[in-house]
Amino acid sequence: MQRFCVVFFLFLLSLCFCLCKASVSYDHKAIIINGQRRILISGSIHYPRSTPEMWPDLIKKAKEGGLDVIQTYVFWNGHEPEPGKYYFEDRYDLVKFIKLIKEAGLYAHLRIGPYACAEWNFGGFPVWLKYVPGISFRTDNAPFKAAMEKFTRHIVYKMKFEGLYENQGGPIILSQIENEYGPMEYELGDPARAYSKWAANMAVGLKTGVPWIMCKQDDAPDPTINTCNGFYCDYFTPNKYYKPKMWTEAWSGWFTEFGGAVPYRPAEDLAFSVAKFIQTGGSFINYYMYHGGTNFGRTAGGPFIATSYDYDAPLDEFGLKREAKWGHLKDLHRAIKLCEPVLVSGDPSVISLGHYQKAYVYKNKTGGCAAFLANDDKSAFAKVNFQDKHYNLPPWSVSILPDCKNTVFNTARVGAQTTVMQMTREPTGFAWQSYNDETEYYDDNTFGTVGLLEQLNVTRDASDYLWYMTDVKIDANERFLVRGEQPTFTALSAGHALHVFINGQLSGTVYGSLENPKITFNGVVNLRAGLNKISLLSIAVGLPNIGPHFETWNAGVLGPVMLSGLNEGRRDLSWQKWSYKVGLKGEILSLHSLSGSSSVEWVQGSYVAQKQPLTWYKATFDAPSGDEPLALDMNSMGKGQVWVNGQSIGRYWPAYKAKGNCSTCSYAGYYDEKKCLSNCGEASQRWYHVPRSWLNPRGNLLVVFEELGGIPYGISLVKREVYSVCADIYEWQPSLLSYQAQVSGKATKPLRPKAHLSCSPGRNVSSVKFASYGTPEGGCGSFQQGHCHAKNSYDVFNKICVGQESCAVAVSPEVFKGDPCPSVLKKLSVEVICS
Ligand SMILES: *[C@@H]1O[C@H](CO)[C@@H](O)[C@H](O)[C@H]1NC(C)=O
Ligand SMILES: *[C@@H]1O[C@H](CO)[C@@H](O)[C@H](O)[C@H]1NC(C)=O
Ligand SMILES: *[C@@H]1O[C@H](CO)[C@@H](O)[C@H](O)[C@H]1NC(C)=O
Ligand SMILES: *[C@@H]1O[C@H](CO)[C@@H](O)[C@H](O)[C@H]1NC(C)=O
């Protein structure tokens, strides 16, 4: 009996242990993991936007940057390309990605959706889903709900089978169902509300052991947690008191569209927004994106989303640290973590320090205290008094005081170095061969019908390209033939781009934009007496990913199509017989692949076509030495697609120049995606990432398909390298090192901050481009001396840094042989060249 009791007791113990281990839960304050409330820093890395070979390094750099969690969407159209046929290999190896996160000791947040938006083709939905009879996406619709549930179950069961949920010892602590459904619900009303309840119940019913969130949806049903997405979320409160304040998408920048300028977001403002979220009680923040990566192949959505999904993220498209953003956020995360034990213990008390200034003070039962001092003033410094000490707060900034006394971090004072990157051209060019595609290509798959067809209905997105071909008979009596005035051809298209060929000659091109994909071609064309061939090449540039029932939006030439300036006046061609052909001849022959590329006769040497529309190019090349990321400079080309060893690098379109206002922007003041732009008047995207892992040491096949006409000899392979590094440090700038020295009693007053400079591994500082201790002005790359300048500034860096991989110089008069201007607030600005 006694033994039974002991055994029973042990059983109870283990049960209890199991239950404790099992729980990821939440309360008003935070997500609770194994009984502990946590302040969690998370970052989005979308696995198909990089290669499996890049994943370990991305995850390592995320951890080094202070992240606890990696967040990703699940991309349905990548995993179920045909109904019931699943794919989880290569870039879609979700299990491997989650296991790598676990190996790195991080948690995972799995946003199953399965609607992803994400500027991803069709928002992540497979195109076949649109053609399920009776379907209507993301609403109270039986066929849609059945498909959504089936895929969600598939993913959840796969994760369970692999033991990847937290209660199984795996890294997944959170999940998401649906995505940004609030605006949809507002738009669609009652059926949407019913659907949202169904989605929450369905997800919770899958018993994953982890909380489900529904982002950007104020009425997310219990127990799902409604969370915030945006540039700022400090204003946000969850819909129930017992839910934690979570920010699922802190936008680190913004996406690039073809034809748009490239947005960036200053690190000071991003850090400010995060500090404000934490100070107002937030306990989970996810950077969208932490690594944006690349829309390889035809995965970009939109339409018109660029191939680069860099997003101005802390890790750039190529997987390199974007400094100072990466380093500044790392410093922010360390400061927040120092406050964690106090932050999770309760709500702050808020003290006004001035008109635009506030202190948020957190205390715990054992006497811990942490404070955030915020200055919301967009233009002015503020001198504030907090607990009998004076603090100087730069405009639009938050200072973090983990002990309510000493500042370790201010969001507007960047202590991390800034790195300037360059694209270094490889010396050897390409020996091109070319092949001209055909405007009149009929085969077994060509079909004819009366009238104009919707594009996606015909292509099912098997290709970007759909040919619309018809004949036009011109009578020899047409007056325009005699007068020499040509008729006008008009074609209305639902999008997205259109090339008009008359008798095999390109007559013109029109294309839309993300804001307005609809287009009209209206141009004078050369027609001759007799039969004329009109071939319209209609191009989809990524399928829409957002908007009410975006699945119903059309593409292609829907008409009317007409000729005007004939004897009869206008002739409507819309209702005559048209022939259709999905894809280009070169696509059907798989010219991009190793096996298919030899199926046609290519020309070489002086016969290679240049500035010729519809041209294929191929060349072979050896992999460059080193491990720097690689890209193709496509600036001499127009629009098309590019492949390396049969793998699609993506769509390129340097001919589409960036519209926008690229004047300089200040970090201070509310940010939006139009505020800070670059590349105006230049290609929206010039460089296209070629993953190293797709290359063999020798003989790699590069294939380019050019639609408009370009100069292939202008294409080059480039390495992405560090050109220079900068530091820009104020006297008495808060630093973690100084704080730790004081807290541990090693220092009695703040230590002098240091300018830390570090070239990438294997590269050393070769020269000093700029150095000034005093009152220098400008930013990295454009520093200038101010009225106060220590004369030996250059000497100091020449002596300490040149020839070294990294170095550090204290911002202190002793180092610069005295104070060049006592009683003036000084700083140290420096830029050194790495080589
Ligand atoms: C209170 O905060 C202090 C300072 O961060 C910390 O050392 C201590 O462990 C915290 N106490 C509790 C009960 O969490
Ligand atoms: C798509 O095709 C179907 C039949 O295949 C037709 O009923 C429908 O009207 C087409 N949609 C459009 C927009 O052309
Ligand atoms: C660009 O933006 C700046 C700052 O907002 C403004 O001063 C300037 O007038 C704008 N330029 C154009 C051409 O719109
Ligand atoms: C680069 O610096 C390291 C020390 O940081 C030194 O050992 C190495 O010799 C230097 N290399 C060159 C080429 O100057």
Side-chain angles (χ1 to χ4, degrees):
M1 190 65 202
Q2 206 179 4
R3 227 178 70 188
F4 173 79
C5 270
V6 170
V7 169
F8 186 70
F9 178 70
L10 285 176
F11 168 72
L12 276 180
L13 245 184
S14 69
L15 191 70
C16 168
F17 177 70
C18 257
L19 286 176
C20 301
K21 191 176 160 228
S23 72
V24 178
S25 60
Y26 62 79
D27 66 8
H28 158 70
K29 197 54 226 177
I31 294 292
I32 299 169
I33 307 174
N34 296 322
Q36 266 199 313
R37 286 175 174 167
R38 294 295 312 275
I39 301 288
L40 294 169
I41 312 287
S42 172
S44 288
I45 301 177
H46 294 158
Y47 50 99
R49 284 175 157 148
S50 53
T51 59
E53 291 78 7
M54 291 169 70
W55 295 343
D57 185 56
L58 296 173
I59 294 167
K60 180 172 149 261
K61 286 169 175 163
K63 186 176 183 180
E64 204 189 325
L67 265 54
D68 307 296
V69 184
I70 304 290
Q71 186 204 69
T72 183
Y73 281 123
V74 175
F75 296 89
W76 188 355
N77 52 12
H79 291 303
E80 199 179 353
E82 288 174 59
K85 291 203 175 140
Y86 295 99
Y87 180 77
F88 286 90
E89 307 291 316
D90 194 32
R91 286 187 290 122
Y92 292 93
D93 194 343
L94 174 60
V95 168
K96 180 175 185 173
F97 184 69
I98 303 290
K99 285 185 173 170
L100 286 169
I101 293 172
K102 177 186 158 72
E103 276 170 37
L106 298 180
Y107 295 122
H109 177 197
L110 197 64
R111 303 174 85 183
I112 299 178
Y115 169 61
C117 189
E119 290 70 64
W120 187 263
N121 196 43
F122 223 36
F125 289 125
V127 169
W128 56 256
L129 191 65
K130 171 175 173 175
Y131 298 98
V132 169
I135 206 155
S136 183
F137 285 10
R138 302 180 71 204
T139 188
D140 195 11
N141 169 273
F144 179 78
K145 290 193 295 186
M148 172 168 164
E149 176 163 0
K150 186 167 169 230
F151 180 72
T152 306
R153 268 179 198 281
H154 191 88
I155 295 298
V156 167
Y157 289 173
K158 199 172 188 69
M159 297 298 113
K160 280 191 188 174
F161 179 78
E162 299 284 348
L164 295 176
Y165 285 102
E166 210 278 340
N167 59 5
Q168 303 175 292
I172 303 173
I173 54 162
L174 283 170
S175 213
Q176 177 179 307
I177 196 72
E178 248 298 333
N179 184 44
E180 300 198 334
Y181 196 66
M184 245 2 59
E185 208 176 73
Y186 181 79
E187 196 87 33
L188 306 176
D190 284 341
R193 272 185 284 278
Y195 161 72
S196 154
K197 283 206 185 73
W198 167 84
N201 281 335
M202 184 269 284
V204 171
L206 295 175
K207 305 212 181 309
T208 60
V210 304
W212 289 85
I213 61 125
M214 296 183 90
C215 66
K216 212 160 153 180
Q217 194 188 340
D218 290 344
D219 66 352
D222 281 7
T224 67
I225 308 167
N226 64 313
T227 63
C228 185
N229 295 350
F231 288 118
Y232 305 89
C233 276
D234 47 291
Y235 65 87
F236 174 80
T237 43
N239 61 16
K240 296 281 169 51
Y241 180 76
Y242 45 84
K243 296 180 185 179
K245 173 169 168 169
M246 297 172 68
W247 191 359
T248 26
E249 292 188 12
W251 297 329
S252 57
W254 199 246
F255 58 82
T256 300
E257 63 192 76
F258 286 125
V262 180
Y264 63 93
R265 184 175 188 190
E268 295 94 328
D269 178 61
L270 180 56
F272 177 69
S273 68
V274 172
K276 287 191 58 138
F277 185 72
I278 300 291
Q279 82 185 3
T280 51
S283 56
F284 177 98
I285 171 263
N286 175 73
Y287 295 99
Y288 188 98
M289 301 295 296
Y290 196 77
H291 172 255
T294 309
N295 294 313
F296 293 115
R298 300 190 302 111
T299 59
F304 297 97
I305 298 298
T307 295
S308 168
Y309 198 65
D310 179 87
Y311 227 89
D312 197 33
L315 298 179
D316 72 16
E317 177 181 2
F318 303 87
L320 301 176
K321 292 172 189 169
R322 170 168 278 119
E323 294 173 306
K325 193 175 255 184
W326 180 88
H328 192 48
L329 295 176
K330 175 184 173 152
D331 291 345
L332 167 67
H333 303 153
R334 288 203 291 201
I336 292 171
K337 287 295 164 142
L338 283 173
C339 307
E340 184 175 8
V342 191
L343 290 175
V344 296
S345 66
D347 292 331
S349 45
V350 184
I351 303 162
S352 173
L353 303 176
H355 195 51
Y356 292 108
Q357 295 78 31
K358 280 191 186 121
Y360 293 78
V361 185
Y362 288 84
K363 288 190 172 146
N364 72 7
K365 291 199 179 88
T366 54
C369 181
F372 289 65
L373 309 185
N375 178 16
D376 288 352
D377 195 317
K378 290 177 191 136
S379 49
F381 276 83
K383 284 203 165 71
V384 298
N385 191 324
F386 171 67
Q387 296 189 354
D388 299 329
K389 266 183 86 173
H390 290 286
Y391 296 87
N392 203 6
L393 305 177
W396 201 253
S397 78
V398 173
S399 279
I400 301 181
L401 290 62
D403 58 357
C404 284
K405 292 193 194 84
N406 295 291
T407 307
V408 288
F409 182 83
N410 176 277
T411 56
R413 286 284 176 260
V414 178
Q417 75 172 12
T418 298
T419 303
V420 180
M421 305 303 293
Q422 67 181 356
M423 296 303 212
T424 314
R425 198 184 164 127
E426 282 293 288
T428 44
F430 297 108
W432 292 107
Q433 303 183 22
S434 72
Y435 170 78
N436 296 336
D437 209 299
E438 288 170 35
T439 56
E440 297 289 325
Y441 179 67
Y442 297 88
D443 67 6
D444 297 349
N445 295 317
T446 313
F447 68 95
T449 188
V450 169
L452 297 161
L453 299 180
E454 198 277 331
Q455 180 154 344
L456 201 57
N457 234 4
V458 181
T459 65
R460 299 289 160 105
D461 204 32
S463 166
D464 279 4
Y465 303 103
L466 177 63
W467 283 109
Y468 292 71
M469 299 171 288
T470 196
D471 294 335
V472 170
K473 207 168 159 208
I474 294 296
D475 199 282
N477 298 331
E478 283 291 346
R479 284 190 295 273
F480 77 80
L481 291 171
V482 187
R483 287 208 218 112
E485 276 169 26
Q486 291 295 332
T488 300
F489 178 74
T490 306
L492 271 66
S493 165
H496 309 138
L498 180 67
H499 303 308
V500 174
F501 292 88
I502 307 287
N503 298 319
Q505 296 298 308
L506 180 61
S507 269
T509 293
V510 283
Y511 45 83
S513 64
L514 175 58
E515 289 69 32
N516 188 9
K518 291 197 174 123
I519 45 181
T520 301
F521 179 90
N522 199 32
V524 169
V525 290
N526 280 313
L527 296 177
R528 57 192 180 217
L531 220 50
N532 293 267
K533 297 217 166 277
I534 297 187
S535 306
L536 308 178
L537 183 58
S538 179
I539 306 155
V541 195
L543 302 182
N545 54 266
I546 192 166
H549 290 300
F550 65 79
E551 80 272 18
T552 62
W553 300 357
N554 292 329
V557 183
L558 297 179
V561 176
M562 56 203 172
L563 273 173
S564 42
L566 305 180
N567 290 358
E568 66 203 88
R570 219 153 71 175
R571 190 189 299 176
D572 191 344
L573 311 180
S574 313
W575 291 102
Q576 63 182 45
K577 188 170 176 225
W578 289 82
S579 296
Y580 292 88
K581 172 94 210 127
V582 177
L584 306 157
K585 179 181 178 185
E587 282 185 293
I588 291 154
L589 297 173
S590 287
L591 291 189
H592 69 280
S593 69
L594 291 161
S595 54
S597 74
S598 51
S599 60
V600 296
E601 290 274 336
W602 299 73
V603 300
Q604 29 191 317
S606 58
Y607 297 102
V608 167
Q610 300 207 54
K611 298 190 184 176
Q612 165 100 28
L614 299 195
T615 306
W616 293 80
Y617 296 98
K618 72 167 182 176
T620 54
F621 66 101
D622 296 340
S625 60
D627 59 1
E628 303 87 350
L630 302 175
L632 284 166
D633 180 353
M634 300 298 290
N635 223 22
S636 66
M637 303 300 282
K639 175 185 188 306
Q641 293 179 38
V642 55
W643 297 262
V644 170
N645 292 332
Q647 300 260 26
S648 174
I649 298 296
R651 301 183 182 100
Y652 69 84
W653 200 347
Y656 208 158
K657 305 299 180 202
K659 289 182 281 283
N661 184 342
C662 284
S663 54
T664 55
C665 80
S666 158
Y667 80 86
Y670 281 106
Y671 177 83
D672 67 38
E673 70 279 11
K674 300 235 157 58
K675 184 179 175 188
C676 305
L677 300 172
S678 65
N679 284 38
C680 294
E682 296 165 32
S684 296
Q685 187 180 350
R686 172 174 177 176
W687 290 290
Y688 295 81
H689 182 203
V690 179
R692 280 264 182 191
S693 61
W694 289 0
L695 299 185
N696 305 312
R698 312 193 76 78
N700 298 289
L701 175 68
L702 172 61
V703 176
V704 173
F705 171 68
E706 168 62 37
E707 295 170 20
L708 300 165
I711 303 169
Y713 295 103
I715 299 175
S716 60
L717 197 61
V718 299
K719 283 182 178 174
R720 187 164 171 84
E721 298 180 319
V722 172
Y723 164 70
S724 69
V725 291
C726 296
D728 195 17
I729 313 287
Y730 284 84
E731 284 189 302
W732 307 121
Q733 176 155 326
S735 88
L736 188 73
L737 285 176
S738 169
Y739 172 77
Q740 282 167 339
Q742 283 173 268
V743 169
S744 67
K746 291 199 183 106
T748 48
K749 55 179 196 165
L751 301 180
R752 292 283 181 174
K754 282 182 175 173
H756 291 268
L757 297 167
S758 179
C759 295
S760 48
R763 290 161 73 87
N764 285 359
V765 175
S766 60
S767 63
V768 180
K769 189 176 159 194
F770 180 90
S772 178
Y773 173 57
T775 56
E777 287 153 22
C780 181
S782 62
F783 287 131
Q784 286 178 345
Q785 266 177 35
H787 53 82
C788 166
H789 169 71
K791 289 201 178 56
N792 65 342
S793 301
Y794 281 81
D795 298 343
V796 168
F797 283 92
N798 275 320
K799 203 168 140 212
I800 298 179
C801 295
V802 171
Q804 303 299 314
E805 199 175 288
S806 60
C807 61
V809 173
V811 189
S812 157
E814 290 89 78
V815 176
F816 294 94
K817 293 192 182 149
D819 193 331
C821 46
S823 81
V824 172
L825 178 70
K826 288 171 290 300
K827 65 175 189 164
L828 174 59
S829 301
V830 56
E831 178 172 9
V832 298
I833 307 292
C834 298
S835 59

